[in-house]
């Protein structure tokens, strides 16, 4: 079958006048070169053109990740507070940052924080403080937007085990 196709194409090509062949061959060659340039060389040049900027962006991201890793390691290496210290920390931080819209109830190794229209900024600052200074994280959160300026609901935190 390929012999038939080749012989058919050869017969057609042999029937083309030499003037047309002298135009078609360079045109096909130019088309092949153009396709090679478009699909191989241009993408590589684009990568090279943006490589320096991409490298700087990645270096910045790497530095940020290293900073976060060192902060996480520093927090991890700090001694964990006792349950009594954690409760005292929570009481103090709630009075300083979340009053009058928050109340805490401690049951066993859990502290339940009931929020009533607490400002988002105050809640965010308190959560960051609880994580870094108190080494406490919420294990449950049932919050709803109470008004445009506040959150209401409950946060449950696990306290350290009694030593």
């Amino acid at each position: 079958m390929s012999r038939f196709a080749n012989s058919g194409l050869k017969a057609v090509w042999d029937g083309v006048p030499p003037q047309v062949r002298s135009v078609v061959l360079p045109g096909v060659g130019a088309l092949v070169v153009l396709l090679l340039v478009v699909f191989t060389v241009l993408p590589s040049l684009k990568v090279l053109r943006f490589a320096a900027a991409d490298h700087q962006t990645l270096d910045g991201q790497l530095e940020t990740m290293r900073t976060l890793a060192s902060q996480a390691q520093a927090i991890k290496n700090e001694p964990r507070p006792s349950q009594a210290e954690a409760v005292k920390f929570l009481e103090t931080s709630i009075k300083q940052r979340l009053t009058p819209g928050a109340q805490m109830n401690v049951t066993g190794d859990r502290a339940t924080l009931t929020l009533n229209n607490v400002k988002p900024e105050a809640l965010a600052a308190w959560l960051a403080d609880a994580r870094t200074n108190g080494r406490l994280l919420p294990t449950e959160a049932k919050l709803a937007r109470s008004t445009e300026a506040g959150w209401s609901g409950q946060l449950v935190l696990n306290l350290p085990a009694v030593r």
Side-chain angles (χ1 to χ4, degrees):
M1 176 113 180
S2 75
R3 212 171 229 208
F4 174 73
N6 286 340
S7 66
L9 289 175
K10 184 165 180 12
V12 171
W13 183 250
D14 288 342
V16 175
Q19 298 89 353
V20 174
R21 279 192 231 172
S22 66
V23 173
V24 170
L25 280 177
V28 169
L31 181 63
V32 168
V33 169
L34 177 68
L35 289 174
L36 283 173
V37 167
V38 166
F39 290 110
T40 60
V41 176
L42 290 180
S44 301
L45 290 175
K46 183 180 177 185
V47 167
L48 286 174
R49 184 176 337 135
F50 295 113
D54 290 346
H55 194 282
Q56 282 185 328
T57 301
L58 290 174
D59 281 345
Q61 290 175 351
L62 178 63
E63 189 59 36
T64 301
M65 291 301 293
R66 285 182 176 158
T67 302
L68 290 172
S70 67
Q71 288 175 357
Q73 190 62 39
I75 291 171
K76 186 178 176 181
N77 290 337
E78 289 178 2
R80 293 194 59 87
S82 67
Q83 186 173 13
E85 292 170 336
V87 170
K88 184 176 180 184
F89 168 79
L90 285 173
E91 289 170 349
T92 305
S93 66
I94 289 169
K95 285 178 187 174
Q96 290 175 349
R97 294 185 183 263
L98 300 179
T99 53
Q103 296 176 346
M104 183 180 69
N105 182 21
V106 177
T107 307
D109 64 343
R110 298 177 72 148
T112 303
L113 196 68
T114 304
L115 305 175
N116 186 18
N117 202 24
V118 174
K119 293 184 180 184
E121 301 84 19
L123 182 58
W126 180 83
L127 285 168
D129 191 35
R131 179 181 62 89
T132 55
N133 296 330
R135 303 216 31 204
L136 300 167
L137 291 173
T139 54
E140 293 178 34
K142 296 174 187 169
L143 298 175
R145 197 91 188 203
S146 58
T147 65
E148 278 193 34
W151 289 94
S152 294
Q154 287 186 336
L155 284 173
V156 177
L157 298 101
N158 283 344
L159 299 172
V162 179
R163 296 186 219 173

